[in-house]
Amino acid sequence: MKKVLMIIGLVLTIGLFQGCGESSKEDAKKIDNEKPTVAYVINNLNDTFQTFILDAAQTYAEENGVNFIIENAKEDVLKQQDLVNSLIERNVDAIIVVPTDTSAMGPITDAVMEANIPLCYVNRNPYAGKEDKMPENVYYVGADEITGGQMQMDFIGKEINSKGNIAILMGILGNEGALKRTLGVKEVIKEKFPNVKILAEETALWQRDKGLAITENWITTYGDDLSAIIANNDEMALGAVQALKSNGLLKKVKVIGLDATPDALDSIEKGELSATVFQDAKGQGSTAAKNVIDVIKGKLVENKITYIPFKLVTKANLNDFK
């Protein structure tokens, strides 16, 4: 029995030392104490488009001699708050946040401001409609979300000859992008296409598989009545394309996404996805990183809010984005 206990103890001890060694190696890789450190708290590393923004921010930071830490909130607002508080305790020099829920960023803003650390929100704006209330040392970089939805509906309305029935695949409902893009679609219907009816709108949580499942349900419910599907992002749009293709309806039902991800561009080239709207991930990520790094270095950041323009992408101008 003693021999067994000794073996177990030895295994646990080895595992403990190995674990510590790996952690220390990773920390050493991430942190050079001679350089400032920027932390990036992403909403979810499984969010394809967000990883493109993250990559751009990381590239800019590393090219400018700055340590870069990545934390994953996994779409959990309380976890995101805890991660930010932990980063404050680690004395990072600046924090970039992709909000999990734009309506719940107050505690994060307050904590970072109290610590006197520059903060930049990226892609999802917790101060939408109340930009004048943004505190000092807080910035936002993203797109004017309502414009994206307006561009989508303007294109689809013409594609379906100003009449027919559409359905909207929405992102996570607490996100400004999901709400504003959907609002943009509805505004254009009201102003330009009164003979277009919205049959359904449902959240697919930004995910391709959920977009596929919801579209399958819509096909069962609405069948030939469906003229087009507008998705708040490309991942959901590609799920819709897959469902329509499986049911032989892809040539009849138009689909448009938003982001211009590589998969979406390939789908347009194949004649499947009708169009998308380019959202400049590189521009957003690099500008967010530049803002906080400039503050760290004592440089003036002239614009607290930076909007990176959307652009419509169709088969006609596809080569400009590949």
Side-chain angles (χ1 to χ4, degrees), residues 38 52 77 101 104 110 112 122 152 201 213 234 264 304 321:
V38 171
F52 298 144
V77 68
D101 182 342
D110 292 344
V112 178
V122 64
Q152 286 182 305
E201 52 186 287
D234 283 337
K304 289 177 65 65
F321 298 90

Side-chain angles (χ1 to χ4, degrees), residues 66-280:
V66 174
N67 295 313
F68 196 82
I69 298 173
I70 302 167
E71 298 288 0
N72 183 11
K74 299 180 180 178
E75 298 296 357
D76 184 331
V77 68
L78 295 179
K79 180 178 178 65
Q80 192 163 52
Q81 291 173 8
D82 289 342
L83 288 170
V84 169
N85 287 328
S86 176
L87 290 165
I88 292 170
E89 291 176 5
R90 293 170 66 179
N91 294 316
V92 298
D93 296 283
I95 299 175
I96 300 171
V97 175
V98 183
T100 53
D101 182 342
T102 49
S103 67
M105 291 296 103
I108 285 177
T109 303
D110 292 344
V112 178
M113 290 304 91
E114 186 175 345
N116 197 30
I117 296 172
L119 168 66
C120 185
Y121 289 107
V122 64
N123 190 254
R124 301 174 178 180
N125 187 5
Y127 289 94
K130 48 185 179 180
E131 285 83 357
D132 58 331
K133 296 183 180 178
M134 288 179 69
E136 288 299 316
N137 230 22
V138 177
Y139 305 89
Y140 173 70
V141 177
D144 185 4
E145 300 290 2
I146 200 165
T147 305
Q150 290 169 342
M151 292 173 75
Q152 286 182 305
M153 188 59 222
D154 193 60
F155 172 83
I156 287 296
K158 294 169 184 173
E159 286 290 296
I160 61 176
N161 298 316
S162 304
K163 60 177 186 254
N165 303 305
I166 71 164
I168 305 173
L169 287 168
M170 299 180 67
I172 295 171
L173 297 183
N175 292 168
E176 182 223 2
L179 300 175
K180 288 293 185 69
R181 292 171 195 177
T182 302
L183 179 60
V185 170
K186 292 178 178 179
E187 283 186 352
V188 173
I189 290 174
K190 184 177 180 180
E191 293 170 8
K192 293 186 176 182
F193 305 111
N195 293 321
V196 172
K197 179 182 178 183
I198 299 175
L199 292 178
E201 52 186 287
E202 191 171 343
T203 177
L205 305 175
W206 304 115
Q207 301 300 315
R208 189 180 304 199
D209 59 341
K210 296 188 186 304
L212 186 156
I214 291 170
T215 303
E216 290 277 8
N217 291 337
W218 287 344
I219 291 169
T220 301
T221 304
Y222 303 111
D224 291 337
D225 290 335
L226 196 58
S227 308
I229 294 175
I230 296 178
N232 287 165
N233 79 339
D234 283 337
E235 283 296 292
M236 297 185 295
L238 291 168
V241 164
Q242 191 174 341
L244 292 166
K245 191 174 180 180
S246 298
N247 287 273
L249 292 172
L250 191 55
K251 290 185 178 181
K252 180 183 181 298
V253 181
K254 305 291 183 180
V255 183
I256 188 169
L258 190 150
D259 284 338
T261 62
D263 283 354
L265 298 180
D266 288 344
S267 184
I268 292 173
E269 189 168 34
K270 293 174 184 175
E272 297 173 343
L273 189 65
S274 300
T276 185
V277 176
F278 173 70
Q279 183 175 199
D280 189 349

Side-chain angles (χ1 to χ4, degrees), residues 35-39 61 65-67 92-96 116-119 137 139 288-301:
K35 300 177 182 179
T37 298
V38 171
V66 174
N67 295 313
V92 298
D93 296 283
I95 299 175
I96 300 171
N116 197 30
I117 296 172
L119 168 66
N137 230 22
Y139 305 89
K290 182 180 186 303
N291 279 356
V292 295
I293 290 170
D294 280 354
V295 175
I296 291 170
K297 293 181 176 180
K299 297 180 181 179
L300 176 66
V301 178

Side-chain angles (χ1 to χ4, degrees), residues 30 38-63 67-73 95-98 122-123 141 279-290 293:
K30 287 180 179 178
V38 171
Y40 193 107
V41 188
I42 193 170
N43 61 308
N44 194 338
L45 280 169
N46 288 331
D47 187 326
T48 302
F49 183 74
Q50 291 298 339
T51 62
F52 298 144
I53 299 176
L54 167 62
D55 289 345
Q58 182 171 14
T59 298
Y60 185 92
E62 292 175 349
E63 287 177 349
N67 295 313
F68 196 82
I69 298 173
I70 302 167
E71 298 288 0
N72 183 11
I95 299 175
I96 300 171
V97 175
V98 183
V122 64
N123 190 254
V141 177
Q279 183 175 199
D280 189 349
K282 184 177 180 180
Q284 290 186 30
S286 60
T287 303
K290 182 180 186 303
I293 290 170

